[in-house]
Amino acid sequence: MSTPAPASAHAPASASASPDGAEPRTFRRTTLDLGDAVLRPWGRADAEPGALLDGLVAAAADPLIALWNPLPTRDPAAALTWLAAREDSWDKGTAAPFAVLDATDGALLGCVNLRWTDRADGLAMIGYWAPPAGRGRGVIGRATRAVTAWGFRTAEARRIEVAHAVGNEASCRLALKCGYLPEGTLRASYRFGDGTYHDEHLHARLATDPEPAPVPAPR
């Protein structure tokens, strides 16, 4: 699990429109198929009563998510507000939040979110979290790889970063497996769920970096 970029780390910049009026470097809704899992855009449709909404509420109460990736989805009403914001970001092309779902039963396995931190410069940040059902099976790592490749290929991202608390060793391992090279430590850069500012490790990938070795899906 990883965190958003600290507000002081990168100042967002607005991209200028292209000659035909279309916004450059725009994330457009798509579905990514991993075989055993499906990555689908979050949106208001997920607010219907059912497993996904219940999964969001349960995720907010999970101790690891509450510490490293606090979610404002503590009840169905709060989850609806969160989902509306995710849909708005897709509408604007500023972020690409994907629900990671089990391909067999549709259970929530996690979330991967790619967002611009400097859209004009092609600088983005990726983050991820997983409830217990999505841990220990490699699916969030494969989802992160898929979203990374998609961002470079379809939205012309130039550089994608990951920042995670130094104490979040699972997030560090995932970033390294996904080809995000370590670049240093951001001191006391982000306040986590315990109310404390933690140092963060910064990782990054460039569009020109080679793809990391593939990790096969479990059988």
Side-chain angles (χ1 to χ4, degrees):
M1 291 178 280
S2 63
T3 63
S8 60
H10 303 287
S14 299
S16 58
S18 61
D20 63 2
E23 197 74 27
R25 291 190 167 122
T26 293
F27 297 125
R28 303 188 186 281
R29 286 179 176 85
T30 191
T31 297
L32 302 175
D33 188 350
L34 302 184
D36 59 332
V38 176
L39 278 64
R40 182 171 57 72
W42 284 111
R44 290 180 176 84
D46 298 316
E48 295 295 326
L52 274 186
L53 193 63
D54 292 344
L56 275 176
V57 173
D62 177 79
L64 283 179
I65 293 177
L67 174 58
W68 300 129
N69 291 81
L71 285 173
T73 58
R74 60 190 178 279
D75 55 52
L80 175 58
T81 299
W82 187 87
L83 288 167
R86 306 287 84 72
E87 182 157 313
D88 289 346
S89 67
W90 275 111
D91 288 343
K92 297 173 183 176
T94 56
F98 289 92
V100 183
L101 308 175
D102 189 287
T104 301
D105 59 13
L108 178 61
L109 302 179
C111 175
V112 177
N113 183 42
L114 180 64
R115 66 181 181 85
W116 295 118
T117 53
D118 190 330
R119 191 172 180 178
D121 194 39
L123 179 62
M125 177 156 280
I126 199 165
Y128 38 80
W129 54 260
R135 296 172 192 160
R137 51 192 289 181
V139 67
I140 302 304
R142 287 184 288 114
T144 300
R145 285 169 174 245
V147 174
T148 298
W150 172 81
F152 284 139
R153 184 179 68 253
T154 69
E156 299 181 10
R158 179 184 64 82
R159 172 184 164 94
I160 302 176
E161 298 178 344
V162 172
H164 65 82
V166 171
N168 190 349
E169 296 180 358
S171 185
C172 191
R173 290 193 298 271
L174 190 150
L176 292 171
K177 288 179 180 178
C178 292
Y180 283 87
L181 300 180
E183 294 193 342
T185 300
L186 307 172
R187 297 180 299 159
S189 65
Y190 193 81
R191 180 183 287 171
F192 286 83
D194 58 1
T196 301
Y197 283 96
H198 288 252
D199 292 352
E200 291 188 291
H201 284 159
L202 177 66
H203 302 248
R205 276 188 62 180
L206 302 179
T208 53
D209 286 343
E211 280 291 315
V215 176
R219 296 183 179 181

